Every structure is written in structure tokens, then in C-alpha cells.
């Protein structure tokens, strides 16, 4: 957006989500966030520029959901929205529950079958070796943890987070979104796994691959696997996932992760223990819709771009098909999580350059139309 704002002569405004601190979580809802945006944008227009200046909202991931919902709830405030990698259909029973983990697995499988099989094999080995104190001590050494781990499940989560997040940020150029990573990090992880001699220990392979994620810069002395700080401020997201952003997820038998089914009671109990709240499973679809979205929005909404990259695990919950002449889906086969919103680089592949070009063209169209409509009034 930094890149295209001058092209539009636009004022670029980043609006924060309020109430993310632990003592204010009770106020942290998407409804309040959207209302905040509406009040701030309206006041900025009154203070800074002609009141009629068109506003387009942009967001990626959860921000993309907010952008699309904002356009639908506040059409008098924003003339359009670019919702990048916005999983607005990842709720209730709309999207298959295994879709997220299926895409992660497919990303790794598409690099090499060996890579996929090694990762699939590691979980049982981990559980077996971590079943007693001696094994846990040994594993702590294998994983170079700062302190001896108390439970093998932490190591599993640590590995899983590395593979999952790397699938999300599988960008075609070096990036530092969640972590510092090289271009195409999934391919790089699989190269690491595939270069081990046959018969090498799967734990060593999986650890080396995860190290690409946790230690690409080479500055880690040891790994903090049992909790610790929250550098990406995901605490607020944890609360939201326990209240309105409750997304059912499972792991299918075909995945490279241990299969698991959806256990709403278990999650609800966890939420109650951690935050003292219980999830409202149906609230998002009640408030913003989602079921039969194509039919509902076809004659109601307008001026929304839903962009998705199919290598992004969240793409399954996104809008992947055009809904109307102005509710457009821009889908790239290779893209990762909101790649289109990242700054352009000289190494960007043609398909993302083209995706961004289309976005700018469509937004110009919205603004031209809006200016014509205003002139006629
Ligand atoms: C710990 O578990 C491993 C793997 O199950 C087993 O081979 C080993 O004998 C166990 N060691 C102790 C001290 O129980
Ligand atoms: C991180 O990478 C550096 C450079 O390769 C290496 O010396 C160091 O041991 C790694 N840290 C851990 C905890 O593995
Ligand atoms: C997965 O495999 C298990 C064990 O073979 C089987 O009981 C279960 O029905 C399978 N689940 C699905 C969704 O296919």
C-alpha cells in the first residue's frame, strides 16, 4: 500500500485495533474495531480533506476480514475494500474443517514426497522417545532447548508451529514477516530434509528443518520451547479465537500432522480455564453472514476484492470465486499469506506483479465511478 498510495494521491492511514492489552480484552471485538474505524475515518475527512473524498479500506488476514466486513457494514464510509487472504468463510460449517492443515501438508508434499513423509513420521517417534524422563532429557538436547522440557507435547507444538507458519509465509522473496526467512522457505526446509543421508534420524531432520524457521539468522543460543514472550502479540488473537473468531479445525488422515477431530467441548473448556469465557460459535455468521455468500452478496454488496494465494493455508476459508461484476476474486496458484500487500521488490514473480496491477486497475475503476456519481448529485 505504501507503493500505490502516491499513484492515487492518497493519504495512507493505519488504524490500530484497541483493547489488546490483557486488562482490556473484554472490549476486544470486531464490532468495536469496525465502529472505531468508522468514527476515525469520518473525523479525519472532516478535519483534513473534502468530506466527499473516497476511502478504500485494505487489510490482510484478520485485517482483510475487517476490511470486507467494513465495506458491507459501512458502505457510506468506504467505497471499496481490498481483503487479502481474508478467511471469512473459516467459520462454523462453511469450509471443510481440515482445509487449513491439508493446505500446509500439500505445500510440503508439492516440494518432495520424502519431505512430507519425514514430517509425517516424526510425531510418533517424538511421542515414543518423550514418554519418560530419560527420553525427554535426550530430546531436550536434540532440540537444543534452553531448559529441559517437561512435556513432549511442547516439542510437537514447537515443530508444528514452524511448519505451519512457514507454509503461511512461503513468499517468493526473502522476507521478515513472522521471522527472517529466505525466498520460498518451504522449498528450503524440504531441501534440508532431503539432503540428510538415508537412514538418518527423523528427529534430526525435523529439527534441522525447524531451525530454518527459528534460527535463519544464526543468532539463537538455545530454543525457548515452553512458552515465553509473545513477540507477535498473539495473546489478543487467543482471546478472539475463544470468543467470536472461533474457527473449527481438524487434521485429516492424509495430513502430515497427527490426525485430530474437532472437539468443541475441549476447546470451550480450555477457553474457560484460560480467559474465563466460552466461545460463541455462531456469532460471526450471524453478524456478518458467510453461508451461501455468493447468492447473498451478489445483489447486495459491491466493490470488494478478495485476493488469495492457494499455497496459503488460510486460502480454503477465503472467497475464491467471483461473486458479481464488482465483488471479485483474484487467486494466484503460488501465492502465500497476503503476499499482494507486501512491498514490491525487483525479484517479484510476474504473477504477483500482475495481481497487484489488477488490484490498482479495479480500485481506479471504483474511484472513477464514485467521482462520476458524486458529480451527478
Ligand atoms: C524410556 O523409553 C524408551 C522408549 O520407550 C525405552 O527404550 C527406555 O528403556 C525407557 N527408559 C526408562 C529409564 O524407562
Ligand atoms: C543457530 O545457528 C547458528 C549458526 O548456524 C549455530 O551456530 C547455532 O548453534 C544455532 N542455534 C541453535 C540453538 O541451534
Ligand atoms: C482415519 O483413520 C482412522 C484409523 O485408520 C479411522 O478410524 C478414521 O475413520 C479415519 N478418518 C477419516 C476422516 O477418514
Amino acid at each position: 500500500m505504501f507503493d500505490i498510495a502516491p499513484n492515487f494521491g492518497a493519504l495512507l492511514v493505519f488504524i490500530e485495533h484497541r483493547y489488546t492489552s490483557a486488562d482490556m480484552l473484554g472490549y476486544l471485538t470486531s464490532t468495536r474495531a469496525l465502529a472505531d474505524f468508522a468514527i476515525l475515518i469520518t473525523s479525519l475527512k472532516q478535519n483534513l480533506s473534502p468530506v466527499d473524498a473516497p476511502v478504500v479500506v485494505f487489510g490482510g488476514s484478520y485485517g482483510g476480514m475487517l476490511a470486507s466486513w467494513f465495506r458491507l457494514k459501512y458502505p457510506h464510509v468506504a467505497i471499496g475494500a481490498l481483503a487479502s487472504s481474508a478467511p471469512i468463510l473459516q467459520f462454523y460449517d462453511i469450509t471443510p474443517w481440515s482445509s487449513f492443515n491439508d493446505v500446509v501438508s500439500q505445500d510440503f508434499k508439492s516440494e518432495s514426497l520424502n519431505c512430507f513423509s519425514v514430517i509425517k513420521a516424526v510425531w510418533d517417534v517424538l511421542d515414543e522417545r518423550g514418554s519418560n524422563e530419560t527420553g525427554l532429557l535426550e530430546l531436550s538436547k536434540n532440540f537444543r532447548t534452553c531448559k529441559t522440557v517437561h512435556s513432549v507435547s511442547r516439542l510437537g507444538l514447537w515443530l508444528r508451529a514452524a511448519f505451519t507458519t512457514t507454509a503461511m509465509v512461503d513468499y517468493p522473496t526473502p522476507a521478515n514477516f513472522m521471522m527472517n526467512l529466505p525466498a520460498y522457505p518451504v522449498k528450503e526446509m524440504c531441501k534440508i530434509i532431503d539432503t540428510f543421508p538415508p537412514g538418518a534420524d527423523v528427529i534430526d531432520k525435523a529439527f534441522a528443518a525447524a531451525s530454518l524457521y527459528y534460527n535463519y539468522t544464526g543468532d539463537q543460543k538455545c530454543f525457548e520451547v515452553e512458552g515465553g514472550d509473545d513477540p507477535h502479540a498473539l495473546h489478543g488473537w487467543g482471546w478472539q479465537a475463544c470468543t467470536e473468531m472461533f474457527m473449527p479445525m481438524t487434521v485429516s488422515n492424509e495430513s502430515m500432522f497427527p490426525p485430530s477431530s474437532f472437539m468443541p467441548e475441549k476447546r470451550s473448556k480450555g477457553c474457560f480455564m484460560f480467559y474465563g469465557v466460552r466461545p460463541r460459535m455462531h456469532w460471526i455468521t450471524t453478524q456478518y453472514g458467510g453461508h451461501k455468500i455468493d447468492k447473498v452478496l451478489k445483489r447486495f454488496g459491491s466493490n470488494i476484492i478478495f485476493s488469495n494465494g492457494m499455497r496459503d493455508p488460510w486460502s480454503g476459508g477465503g472467497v475464491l470465486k467471483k461473486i458479481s461484476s464488482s465483488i471479485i476474486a483474484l487467486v494466484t496458484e503460488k501465492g502465500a499469506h497476503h503476499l499482494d500487500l507486501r512491498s514490491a521488490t525487483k525479484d517479484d514473480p510476474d504473477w504477483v506483479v500482475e495481481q497487484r496491477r489488477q488490484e490498482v486497475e479495479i480500485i481506479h475503476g471504483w474511484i472513477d465511478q464514485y467521482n462520476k456519481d458524486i458529480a451527478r448529485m
Side-chain angles (χ1 to χ4, degrees), residues 92-106:
Y92 193 38
D93 61 353
I94 306 174
T95 297
W97 293 342
S98 69
S99 119
F100 183 96
N101 289 301
D102 286 345
V103 176
V104 178
S105 302
Q106 188 49 44

Side-chain angles (χ1 to χ4, degrees), residues 48-283:
L48 296 180
S49 62
V51 183
D52 281 343
V55 172
V56 176
V57 290
F58 296 83
S61 198
Y62 170 59
M65 300 199 257
L66 292 177
S68 68
W69 293 333
F70 190 78
R71 168 63 188 154
L72 297 172
K73 291 278 175 193
Y74 295 91
H76 54 294
V77 182
I79 67 156
L82 170 56
S84 177
S85 297
I88 57 167
L89 306 180
Q90 195 85 45
F91 294 97
Y92 193 38
D93 61 353
I94 306 174
T95 297
W97 293 342
S98 69
S99 119
F100 183 96
N101 289 301
D102 286 345
V103 176
V104 178
S105 302
Q106 188 49 44
D107 285 351
F108 282 83
K109 205 178 206 170
S110 75
E111 299 299 347
S112 97
L113 193 55
N114 175 61
C115 179
F116 170 88
S117 308
V118 165
I119 298 172
K120 195 176 171 66
V122 82
W123 317 107
D124 283 345
V125 177
L126 205 55
D127 282 347
E128 196 189 306
R129 293 197 201 158
S131 61
N132 59 35
E133 294 286 322
T134 329
L136 275 177
L137 193 65
E138 204 51 45
L139 283 173
S140 298
K141 282 185 202 146
N142 294 141
F143 282 82
R144 304 198 188 147
T145 62
C146 301
K147 292 178 221 105
T148 303
V149 292
H150 295 99
S151 141
V152 73
S153 67
R154 301 308 306 218
L155 291 173
L157 286 173
W158 185 82
L159 278 181
R160 211 167 142 163
F163 300 132
T164 303
T165 315
T166 303
M168 271 172 61
V169 300
D170 193 36
Y171 297 130
T173 53
N176 184 11
F177 173 48
M178 299 296 270
M179 290 285 201
N180 252 305
L181 285 172
Y184 293 114
V186 172
K187 187 185 287 295
E188 293 305 318
M189 276 190 169
C190 284
K191 266 192 210 158
I192 291 172
I193 288 178
D194 290 346
T195 7
F196 272 83
D201 191 353
V202 289
I203 296 284
D204 292 342
K205 295 180 194 176
F207 171 76
S211 289
L212 179 88
Y213 177 73
Y214 290 110
N215 190 24
Y216 181 56
T217 47
D219 58 359
Q220 297 297 303
K221 300 265 176 301
C222 58
F223 295 115
E224 213 51 86
V225 304
E226 298 202 305
D229 51 1
D230 179 19
H232 303 117
L234 293 175
H235 184 68
W237 179 252
W239 160 268
Q240 286 183 285
C242 273
T243 51
E244 55 180 7
M245 296 294 152
F246 187 81
M247 298 171 166
M249 284 197 190
T250 60
V251 181
S252 69
N253 286 352
E254 287 71 38
S255 169
M256 64 182 197
F257 297 127
S260 70
S261 51
F262 178 44
M263 290 172 284
E265 293 79 21
K266 196 176 158 200
R267 266 186 63 187
S268 175
K269 206 171 148 193
C271 288
F272 192 75
M273 273 170 59
F274 205 77
Y275 295 110
V277 288
R278 297 211 184 261
R280 301 174 73 190
M281 262 186 78
H282 308 292
W283 177 234

